[in-house]
Amino acid sequence: MDPESAWEYEAGIIQEFKPLTIRAAGFYYDIKDFINDNGITAAGKLGGMGTLGSNCLYNIDHFKLYGAELEAAIRLGERFRATAAYVYQEYDVDETGFEDNWTYYLPALLPKHKVKLLARYNVWPDGWLQVSSRYVGERKAQKGGELDDYITVDLGFEQKFKFQEQEYMAKFFCSNVTGTDYEEISGYEMPEYVWGFQLGAKF
């Protein structure tokens, strides 16, 4: 196993058209001895299905990742803020011979297209309602398969308040409110309707 090394390049521009701000950037990552981790499928690792003696960590000689990002943010008064972001990415990778035998192969999990949307609305003083959505395009999985594209939607509400001169924050959230069935890694279904509550303090 050799250590991983990389050259990373990124260039971009930011332009303001009040109340709109636009950011565009391009990136290029040139990675040598990229470390691919298949530990979750190796034999003896949490019930994995690998073969005894299989390599769950190995180097990919050369891995290139490149693409572009475009982001737009708008702020209307003191109450409404929204952001939309799009990412396009491609990769080139040297074949190793290992990729056909594993269900977890990092380069194949990268989608070409990703979109993120976020909107926040100030309902009342220090109370923010938030809606976010994410689109991930289809991408290749192992053994000739493909992972479908998916869209998820998250909702949340955040309230800041003071109690005995101490600042607190309470947050309620629900992830994947539409109940979308999707996989980020082949064979591992993501949960539906994740509800939660957070309470924090600022010192």
Side-chain angles (χ1 to χ4, degrees), residues 186-202:
S186 179
Y188 293 82
E189 294 184 0
M190 299 301 292
E192 299 179 357
Y193 313 116
V194 179
W195 298 81
F197 170 75
Q198 294 178 344
L199 181 64
K202 183 178 180 180

Side-chain angles (χ1 to χ4, degrees), residues 5 20-21 43 60 63 67 101 106 110 121 141 158 167-168 174 186 190-191:
S5 61
L20 180 68
T21 301
I60 297 175
F63 177 44
N101 298 321
L106 293 176
L110 298 174
Y121 182 74
E158 178 182 300
E167 292 187 16
Y168 294 92
C174 178
S186 179
M190 299 301 292

Side-chain angles (χ1 to χ4, degrees), residues 14-28:
I14 298 176
Q15 181 66 55
E16 289 192 12
F17 305 95
K18 292 184 179 180
L20 180 68
T21 301
I22 295 178
R23 182 182 69 87
F27 58 89
Y28 180 85

Side-chain angles (χ1 to χ4, degrees), residues 38-60:
N38 286 301
I40 59 173
T41 55
K45 300 284 188 177
L46 300 179
M49 301 299 292
T51 304
L52 288 173
S54 295
N55 293 322
C56 62
L57 287 171
Y58 62 88
N59 289 117
I60 297 175

Side-chain angles (χ1 to χ4, degrees), residues 48-114:
M49 301 299 292
T51 304
L52 288 173
S54 295
N55 293 322
C56 62
L57 287 171
Y58 62 88
N59 289 117
I60 297 175
D61 292 339
H62 207 180
F63 177 44
K64 300 176 184 177
L65 178 64
Y66 51 91
E69 302 176 0
L70 181 63
E71 181 180 284
I74 189 170
R75 181 169 182 169
L76 300 178
E78 297 297 324
R79 287 184 174 270
F80 181 78
R81 304 171 188 174
T83 302
Y86 168 72
V87 177
Y88 173 81
Q89 59 187 7
E90 285 274 10
Y91 71 89
D92 292 325
V93 61
D94 290 347
E95 299 297 326
T96 64
F98 286 98
E99 45 275 308
D100 293 333
N101 298 321
W102 299 95
T103 57
Y104 188 47
Y105 177 55
L106 293 176
L109 298 179
L110 298 174
K112 286 186 178 181
H113 307 281
K114 294 191 295 184

